[in-house]
Amino acid sequence: MPQAPGKSKKVPTKPAAGAAKTKTPKKNVFPLPPSGTVGSWEDDPESAVSLTVPIPDLSKPPLAFSFPAGGPPPATYAHGTSEFRYWATAAALRRAADYWAKRVPLTQWYGGPSLNVVLDKGFDLDANYDRAALNFFHGPGVTGTVFTCESADVSCHEMGHAVLDAFKPGLWGVANQEAAAFHESFGDISALMSAIQIPSLRTAILTVNGGNIYTKSRLSRLAEQLGSALRAQDPDLAEADCLRSAVNSFNYQDPTTLPSNAAMSCLSSEPHSFSRIFTGAFFEILGVSLAAKAATPGTPTEAELLTVSDDLAGFLVQGIKCSPIVTNWYAHVAANMVIAAQSDPIYASIAKGVFVGRSILSLETASSLPMTSQIKPLDAAAKPDTAAREPLPMVGLSASQYGIDGLLFVDAAAEPCRFIVMAAGFDGEPITALSATAAAKAFVDDLFLRGRVDYGAVVDREHRLLRDHKTKTHALVNVDGSARLQRRIFNCGLCACGVSH
């Protein structure tokens, strides 16, 4: 188990080879099981609360990692060194992978039993998941160089993309704003759940916040160091005290009615911005549920926090598994979470109250959800792994406005629904879900407006929209003579010094 935390202190660095930088990392094998400990952070380097943990087993199934070859032997290294970053990243990823592997459960990553980890792929304030690897970067910070792999918030967020991709792969390429935003929300929830696995952090947060989890703290403030670095380049790129906060007052709005981009103090349809609606709702449910479940009102224990968070993670996984990939994805996941929680009226009532209060569910939907006994058992309703990998239906979009001759084909959020679910507008009235084609067009429009599409050989240079050199999350490809849109990565999305990949 993790030992007691302490503030960052330098210790003599043991002689070791530095972590090699390579674009095709190979597995670094150590004797198993290794004995001893390594140093890490509880959450983020800006919080600077150190943690000593047993040496993580990177080859542990079902979710193994392949780190760069030539890495340092396990030991406690000085903060700020490449050796420390290597094992801090390894410890955080192992903790998060072990957590989700049990709760989904998972048998492997989307691409196989081991996931590559590239600790420093180059100069950028960014991190991404590309189905083959978790890629981290370095860039200018407020007090020095920021290595994004060093933050457990960042690494566990990116690993969250990989976890979700492993059991709901259809969300990867679907042309839908809510699905893309939910991928980012799940990444943030992954960072939160991983942090809650640390007993010392649970105790510290409950002590500082007087037992109230749903208030600002270093738990709710995600990726503080990266947020500070981005704000130094452009104040609009991050929230006031972190990259994103799980404590917020954002309510659901139809993403097609929002601007494509906005300062992080506002809401937009940009996936990281829009993700905060669901993340805030989940974290609020956690806070209210902990208060309701505490044996001693007002003074929940760290053990109770662990139990409640595990319960909610279970409801979330069931909600994802049982939800069809449709245009109003948020509402379907919320509805299926409530159904999953029906065995405990306290959880179910709180989830309904928060989701309705945030307009993710309409009053009519929340009051008319079927009982678990009225639908297929949750485990049976969730598609098996083989079925889950069936391709989504495709739709062809008129594409002349993108410089494309003919149609652009995209994966559509058009799976069949088991029952009707709706979110609500500002007036509380239910919002009818968009058609798959309309939602896909809004999503693709946003990508081109934000300069996130690599035209490749599909569009001549004179017909391209060139705005900046940010990382491209999607690419146009020719398939059987037709233009198609394919996702490349899920990334930080707000990188200030990115270059076109």
Side-chain angles (χ1 to χ4, degrees), residues 194 201 205 249 307 344:
S194 178
L201 185 143
I205 297 301
S249 58
T307 297
D344 189 317

Side-chain angles (χ1 to χ4, degrees), residues 287-378:
V288 178
S289 297
L290 179 61
K293 289 286 188 176
T296 304
T299 56
T301 66
E302 57 88 12
E304 289 171 331
L305 172 56
L306 182 64
T307 297
V308 171
S309 66
D310 284 351
D311 290 343
L312 293 187
F315 302 148
L316 176 63
V317 168
Q318 289 288 8
I320 295 167
K321 285 183 173 181
C322 297
S323 293
I325 299 178
V326 290
T327 58
N328 57 342
W329 170 254
Y330 273 20
H332 276 268
V333 175
N336 280 298
M337 282 183 66
V338 173
I339 293 170
Q342 285 176 351
S343 60
D344 189 317
I346 293 177
Y347 281 135
S349 295
I350 291 171
K352 280 196 292 186
V354 172
F355 284 136
V356 168
R358 298 235 179 193
S359 298
I360 295 174
L361 290 178
S362 68
L363 281 166
E364 288 81 355
T365 294
S367 64
S368 61
L369 289 175
M371 298 298 294
T372 305
S373 59
Q374 296 174 308
I375 58 177
K376 295 179 181 179
L378 292 174

Side-chain angles (χ1 to χ4, degrees), residues 214 245-252 267 276-277 280 284 357-358:
Y214 188 69
S245 175
V247 175
N248 63 64
S249 58
F250 293 118
N251 289 343
Y252 179 84
L267 192 65
R276 295 176 294 174
I277 298 170
E284 184 179 349
R358 298 235 179 193

Side-chain angles (χ1 to χ4, degrees), residues 5 28 51 79 104 143 161 167 300 308 369 380 426 481:
N28 208 9
L51 182 70
H79 299 146
V104 173
T143 59
H161 286 301
F167 77 96
V308 171
L369 289 175
F426 284 125

Side-chain angles (χ1 to χ4, degrees), residues 82-315:
S82 61
E83 294 88 352
F84 174 81
R85 288 192 294 273
Y86 184 104
W87 287 107
T89 307
L93 291 177
R94 182 74 276 153
R95 181 173 64 246
D98 288 348
Y99 179 79
W100 290 114
K102 296 176 182 177
R103 282 157 185 81
V104 173
L106 291 171
T107 58
Q108 64 174 29
W109 302 106
Y110 175 84
S114 186
L115 181 63
N116 290 330
V117 178
V118 182
L119 295 171
D120 188 3
K121 196 169 184 178
F123 182 75
D124 208 348
L125 289 173
D126 201 4
N128 67 55
Y129 164 67
D130 64 7
R131 281 193 155 175
L134 303 176
N135 301 295
F136 302 96
F137 299 80
H138 73 275
V142 176
T143 59
T145 301
V146 170
F147 292 87
T148 58
C149 69
E150 190 173 345
S151 170
D153 287 345
V154 175
S155 61
C156 294
H157 169 97
E158 295 304 328
M159 198 217 67
H161 286 301
V163 167
L164 184 56
D165 195 27
F167 77 96
K168 200 74 170 182
L171 294 175
W172 169 264
V174 66
N176 180 259
Q177 292 163 317
E178 289 192 25
F182 184 83
H183 236 287
E184 300 301 338
S185 178
F186 189 87
D188 284 350
I189 291 170
S190 177
L192 293 168
M193 294 296 100
S194 178
I196 289 174
Q197 301 316 297
I198 303 172
S200 53
L201 185 143
R202 296 197 300 269
T203 299
I205 297 301
L206 289 171
T207 300
V208 171
N209 289 356
N212 180 14
I213 284 297
Y214 188 69
T215 189
K216 289 188 175 183
S217 67
R218 62 185 175 90
L219 175 63
S220 68
R221 292 191 296 268
L222 296 165
E224 295 159 285
Q225 185 189 57
L226 180 57
S228 295
L230 289 168
R231 279 195 309 275
Q233 298 197 24
D234 184 344
D236 290 343
L237 291 177
E239 295 190 20
D241 54 1
C242 59
L243 183 62
R244 285 183 298 278
S245 175
V247 175
N248 63 64
S249 58
F250 293 118
N251 289 343
Y252 179 84
Q253 298 179 53
D254 179 350
T256 64
T257 67
L258 294 171
S260 176
N261 264 321
M264 286 297 281
S265 57
C266 305
L267 192 65
S268 76
S269 61
E270 194 281 325
H272 299 82
S273 177
F274 199 76
S275 74
R276 295 176 294 174
I277 298 170
F278 201 95
T279 304
F282 182 89
F283 200 57
E284 184 179 349
I285 293 169
L286 174 61
V288 178
S289 297
L290 179 61
K293 289 286 188 176
T296 304
T299 56
T301 66
E302 57 88 12
E304 289 171 331
L305 172 56
L306 182 64
T307 297
V308 171
S309 66
D310 284 351
D311 290 343
L312 293 187
F315 302 148

